Amino acid sequence: MLPRIALITGASRGIGAAIARRLANDGFDVALNDLSGQIPALESLQKEISSAGRRTYIHTADVSSASKVEDMVDGTVKTLGGIDVMVANAGILGRISPVTECTEDDWDKIMAVNARGVFLCYKYAAKAMIAQGRGGRIIAASSVVGKQAAGLRSAYSASKFVVRGLTQSAAQELAQYGITVNAYAPGPIDTLMMDPVGLDQAAKEAYLNTEIKKTVIGRLGKPEEIASIVSYLASRESAFTTGQTISVNGGQFFD
Ligand code: NAD
């Protein structure tokens, strides 16, 4: 049987770490990416997954750099023997602020990671998967605000719309190679991203409560509740699902 290898970006914590654990549990060998500052957390996750019997590979890289993403995909192929699943999960929220106070620098930073980073992961994973000739699964993080934008998060919302457009376009091009392309659109999930920078404690609590109130379930989601959807999208049985951005949002938005 062929090896099954998944590469997950932003894997040191939160949703990315939950996806890495879940895919390892599903039988994948996993390549773990994050920024170099996250090495201790990556190593601890690597230890956990390796002791459960799966092969692992750590490759730190900033996903907004083309040469680094290319090296990361190459390193995964050379070390683990291929790439069957790319999960372009890394993302940043940026400052919560009105569009009138969103600086060009804020805009560029968010777009560099959330839009350009996902594009680069799609591009280099697709090239490697086409060369391998055994199909594949390409998956990325959009958001509930990539379907219905939120105020005070203009650049972030726009970047998550980009992921949906890219996913729909790449799905059409890559179907001929047996590669499906899908995204997940989480609502508020209990990770460090729900602790936005630049807000005082009272404002953070108000932000959290507003997000929870928008759900019909009435709580934050768990990272594992996103990982289970990714597990399905990464599986062979999802072969007829492509170009979709799947909402997992506690009923915050219906589509
Ligand atoms: P998180 O902040 O806990 O984790 C994000 C990870 O990405 C971190 O480990 C971070 O170091 C890494 N990262 C950031 N910039 C990077 C870069 N340039 N290169 C490589 N790695 C980088 O966030 P999370 O909640 O786990 O979010 C994961 C994904 O899900 C993100 O794309 C996020 O936008 C999306 N999402 C999260 C929520 C939520 O409520 N938590 C909701 C919707 C969408």
Side-chain angles (χ1 to χ4, degrees), residues 12-13 15 34 61-63 89 91 141-143 156 160 186-187 189 191:
S12 74
R13 68 181 196 208
I15 293 170
D34 212 297
D62 179 335
V63 295
N89 167 76
S142 179
S143 168
Y156 181 76
K160 295 300 184 180
I189 307 299
T191 71

Side-chain angles (χ1 to χ4, degrees), residues 35 97 108 117 188 234 240 245:
L35 296 170
S97 69
D108 289 345
F240 199 56
T245 298

Side-chain angles (χ1 to χ4, degrees), residues 207-228:
Y207 172 73
L208 202 65
N209 286 333
T210 309
E211 289 305 307
I212 291 172
K213 275 198 195 122
K214 284 192 225 159
T215 70
V216 296
I217 304 281
R219 64 167 172 84
L220 293 177
K222 300 175 195 150
E224 294 74 22
E225 289 169 323
I226 304 302
S228 62

Side-chain angles (χ1 to χ4, degrees), residues 57-222:
Y57 167 63
I58 290 178
H59 193 111
T60 58
D62 179 335
V63 295
S64 63
S65 157
S67 61
K68 289 189 174 146
V69 172
E70 190 174 13
D71 287 350
M72 171 176 78
V73 172
D74 275 1
T76 301
V77 170
K78 286 190 182 118
T79 311
L80 295 178
I83 180 167
D84 300 292
V85 177
M86 161 62 86
V87 187
N89 167 76
I92 55 172
L93 178 61
R95 284 192 313 130
I96 304 285
S97 69
V99 70
T100 47
E101 285 169 31
C102 177
T103 65
E104 291 87 345
D105 194 42
D106 289 337
W107 175 272
D108 289 345
K109 275 189 186 143
I110 290 171
M111 285 294 167
V113 181
N114 298 5
R116 181 182 156 96
V118 171
F119 151 66
L120 293 170
C121 288
Y122 276 29
K123 173 176 172 174
Y124 289 104
K127 282 168 82 112
M129 287 174 186
I130 292 167
Q132 272 174 194
R134 63 183 198 226
R137 301 277 182 264
I138 296 178
I139 302 163
S142 179
S143 168
V144 67
V145 303
K147 294 198 173 186
Q148 187 174 70
L152 305 179
R153 278 167 283 172
S154 50
Y156 181 76
S157 297
S159 73
K160 295 300 184 180
F161 270 76
V162 168
V163 172
R164 284 176 60 212
L166 184 64
T167 297
Q168 291 177 10
S169 182
Q172 294 174 54
E173 296 168 17
L174 298 174
Q176 63 185 305
Y177 304 105
I179 301 168
T180 63
V181 190
N182 292 288
Y184 46 97
I189 307 299
D190 191 7
T191 71
L192 282 175
M193 195 170 273
M194 288 307 294
D195 188 11
V197 286
L199 296 185
D200 63 25
Q201 198 51 36
K204 273 183 190 170
E205 274 166 32
Y207 172 73
L208 202 65
N209 286 333
T210 309
E211 289 305 307
I212 291 172
K213 275 198 195 122
K214 284 192 225 159
T215 70
V216 296
I217 304 281
R219 64 167 172 84
L220 293 177
K222 300 175 195 150

